[in-house]
Amino acid sequence: MSGGGLLVAGTTSDAGKSVVTAGICRWLVRQGVKVAPFKGQNMSLNSFVTREGAEIGRAQAMQAQAARVEPSALMNPVLLKPGSDRSSQVVLMGKPVGELSARGYHGGRQAALLDTVVGCLEELRGSYDAVICEGAGSPAEINLRRTDIVNMGIARAARLPVLVVGDIDRGGVFASFFGTTALLAPEDQELLAGYLVNKFRGDVSLLEPGLDMLKDLTGRATYGVLPFQHGLGIDEEDGLRVSLRGSVRESQTAAPVGEDVLRVAVCAVPLMSNFTDVDALAAEPGVVVRFVDRAEELVDADLVVVPGTRGTVKALQWLRERGLADAIARRAAEGRPVLGICGGFQVLGNSIEDDVESRAGTVDGLGLLPVRVRFEKDKTLARPVGEALGEPVEGYEIHHGVAEVSGGEAFISDDNGHSLDGCRVGAVWGTHWHGSLEADGFRRAFLREVAAAAGRRFVPAPDTSFGALREEQLDRLGDLIEEHADTDALWRLIESGAPSGLPFIPPGAPA
């Protein structure tokens, strides 16, 4: 017998689907329900590697953590990694299968994947009491409905009830709910069970007359009004939800332990991937993290991070065009700290030979690390463990570039001191390992080195646990659902499907 299910759709991208899905997963698992997340198709540059070496969206990995289960490729069978405005790498069941234009994908390939997506969902439903699915964008994107495999396409194929989330902070939420419903075909409207208001500020009693009118207009209930809360935007997939010159979303307001703060500038390179790497830095009291795109913004930074990117050569060109490359080189010459992660590590090397990603051939890097990078067709996907700065560290690798290191000091080593990845020259470090800064001991040791090189009297807090902070965030998401949603009605949806007799709202989808 298959377990229950629910599809969390949204009136728009960034309406809160990812965090609501995670919140429902955490609420259910706290009730003793064996639950798993699922997203049939994900477009994201923030990805993760599962234990079996499959690449999936980081949002689904976060949702798996909320559900207290190990993430797997079944939870995100199709991942699209944009390489430009018009093309993406297609990752199927955790492995890259090629590049496709948007027209080529939506013109036939996407529809052909529906059986795979439905099969993965049914396999999960056979193993779990409930599967909470996340949609993408809006289910009312009528131009894409014919080939849809992530919103109403999967809902109809698997007979899933649909809950539509609307971000009231943007305004127009009633029109968005009504319009979303009215642009669906009758067969799709039969599955749209109701709505969930997200990011509400103020007195809920003032909203209730509108919710009553919405029910009169559509015949569908609102399953909850979630209040606006800061700091819940974890592991986003669709974009960087932070002002380029504002502090990163998870920065702590706690006072530093030492006499100084530590300022971290992250270069906002094109096609930036896995920018979640710096979340662990921002979780430290006294560490201020911001994203920058101008050379003058590096002047007062104690540490500059060049993050991962899906376009290493394009990022290198962008750094040079904006004067950031010269500013980073000057920092290195002055012994001021620089860290490159994945594509950022490759940028810091001597040369890049790329006939795979950009097909630019051999390109000079910034020459700050003795590294030659050669792009291979096969992608490295791994979950390595090692030691760095005398502390245990683990991470995950997602890259086509293979680094040949010909000097410097080892950065990450095995138990016998043999280099596993990356290197260091003075105050310049580089590694392919994403997620390494989440290791508390290593992060503190690294920040002590950065502070010493920067001449800052900064002291890392001795008790910051990034894993515990992440768990607290996930519990806050579960609390939102438990305290502000109609959980009895939600469980009925998950267990029994959409209510029968939901009215059709004209005009419906165009023929």
Side-chain angles (χ1 to χ4, degrees):
M1 178 179 174
S2 291
L6 174 70
L7 175 70
V8 179
T11 56
T12 61
S13 294
D14 201 28
K17 297 183 292 289
S18 294
V19 294
V20 167
T21 300
I24 293 175
C25 285
R26 178 49 60 101
W27 160 65
L28 285 173
V29 77
R30 293 195 307 206
Q31 309 308 308
V33 176
K34 187 181 179 185
V35 58
F38 177 81
K39 185 163 186 171
Q41 172 195 295
N42 196 346
M43 178 173 279
S44 178
L45 286 171
N46 279 341
S47 58
F48 183 77
V49 179
T50 67
R51 292 289 180 195
E52 69 267 27
E55 185 179 7
I56 67 172
R58 269 200 69 97
Q60 279 60 66
M62 176 268 291
Q63 291 159 358
Q65 185 176 348
R68 296 179 180 147
V69 295
E70 189 67 31
S72 79
L74 290 173
M75 298 172 185
N76 180 205
V78 181
L79 173 64
L80 306 178
K81 302 193 74 176
S84 71
D85 290 341
R86 296 191 175 186
S87 68
S88 295
Q89 182 181 67
V90 180
V91 179
L92 179 62
M93 295 303 296
K95 305 297 180 184
V97 295
E99 297 273 340
L100 273 181
S101 68
R103 180 177 292 274
Y105 184 69
H106 290 286
R109 181 62 185 269
Q110 184 181 33
L113 294 173
L114 181 60
D115 287 346
T116 299
V117 170
V118 172
C120 290
L121 175 58
E122 287 309 308
E123 188 171 342
L124 287 174
R125 293 179 78 179
S127 303
Y128 291 88
D129 301 327
V131 178
I132 308 303
C133 309
E134 180 189 344
S138 161
E141 291 168 347
I142 53 179
N143 56 316
L144 303 177
R145 175 61 185 91
R146 181 177 60 85
T147 56
D148 171 46
I149 63 172
V150 66
N151 288 310
M152 301 313 299
I154 187 70
R156 201 192 295 187
R159 303 306 299 172
L160 291 172
V162 178
L163 186 69
V164 178
V165 178
D167 178 359
I168 198 170
D169 201 44
R170 296 183 176 194
V173 74
F174 293 118
S176 297
F177 283 146
F178 184 87
T180 297
T181 308
L183 278 177
L184 298 181
E187 298 85 353
D188 290 343
Q189 287 195 25
E190 289 176 3
L191 298 171
L192 200 162
Y195 315 108
L196 187 72
V197 176
N198 192 27
K199 302 181 188 176
F200 180 72
R201 307 172 191 248
D203 186 347
V204 175
S205 66
L206 299 177
L207 187 67
E208 288 171 349
L211 301 179
D212 292 339
M213 286 185 273
L214 182 66
K215 184 172 184 181
D216 291 340
L217 286 166
T218 66
R220 290 160 174 85
T222 296
Y223 283 72
V225 177
L226 308 185
F228 184 95
Q229 288 194 10
H230 290 282
L232 293 182
I234 50 179
D235 293 11
E236 289 96 345
E237 58 193 38
D238 295 323
L240 185 61
R241 289 181 49 204
V242 63
S243 167
L244 198 58
R245 295 176 185 84
S247 294
V248 67
R249 61 196 175 281
E250 304 303 338
S251 286
Q252 296 287 318
T253 57
V257 175
E259 297 178 43
D260 285 345
V261 298
L262 208 60
R263 296 175 176 85
V264 179
V266 184
C267 297
V269 296
L271 299 173
M272 183 163 45
S273 61
N274 288 70
F275 53 80
T276 48
D277 281 330
V278 300
D279 283 354
L281 294 178
E284 286 284 350
V287 176
V288 180
V289 179
R290 66 185 189 274
F291 289 86
V292 303
D293 65 349
R294 299 183 302 198
E296 56 268 31
E297 294 176 295
L298 303 189
V299 173
D300 67 343
D302 302 306
L303 169 67
V304 170
V305 177
V306 187
T309 172
R310 178 79 166 92
T312 301
V313 171
K314 182 181 292 187
L316 185 56
Q317 181 182 0
W318 180 88
L319 290 167
R320 287 183 166 131
E321 288 172 349
R322 290 177 169 264
L324 287 159
D326 288 340
I328 291 170
R330 285 194 299 271
R331 290 183 62 88
E334 295 166 0
R336 302 174 66 198
V338 177
L339 171 66
I341 302 174
C342 199
F345 167 41
Q346 297 166 4
V347 160
L348 298 180
N350 288 325
S351 66
I352 299 166
E353 185 182 326
D354 181 11
D355 295 317
V356 176
E357 191 176 75
S358 68
R359 296 181 174 85
T362 301
V363 178
D364 289 338
L366 298 187
L368 305 182
L369 292 174
V371 177
R372 176 175 169 267
V373 176
R374 184 184 69 259
F375 273 65
E376 300 283 1
K377 183 178 179 182
D378 292 336
K379 182 186 283 191
T380 298
L381 297 169
R383 289 279 294 274
V385 295
E387 182 180 286
L389 303 181
E391 298 285 348
V393 63
E394 59 182 289
Y396 55 100
E397 295 185 68
I398 307 170
H399 53 92
H400 285 279
V402 176
E404 180 184 311
V405 179
S406 57
E409 301 175 46
F411 188 15
I412 301 177
S413 306
D414 62 17
D415 292 340
N416 297 316
H418 299 130
S419 180
L420 292 176
D421 182 76
C423 68
R424 171 187 183 177
V425 173
V428 180
W429 296 267
T431 176
H432 272 128
W433 290 20
H434 295 291
S436 59
L437 291 167
E438 295 180 17
D440 297 327
F442 164 66
R443 183 179 65 255
R444 286 192 277 270
F446 177 70
L447 289 176
R448 282 193 290 269
E449 295 235 0
V450 168
R456 292 285 185 186
R457 289 176 299 217
F458 169 85
V459 178
D463 54 356
T464 300
S465 167
F466 185 75
L469 290 172
R470 173 53 56 88
E471 278 297 303
E472 288 174 14
Q473 276 191 314
L474 294 173
D475 276 332
R476 287 173 64 199
L477 295 180
D479 293 342
L480 272 181
I481 299 300
E482 188 168 339
E483 295 168 11
H484 301 282
D486 185 342
T487 52
D488 289 341
L490 270 182
W491 179 246
R492 286 195 297 271
L493 275 187
I494 293 166
E495 193 174 37
S496 305
S500 60
L502 293 169
F504 171 71
I505 307 301

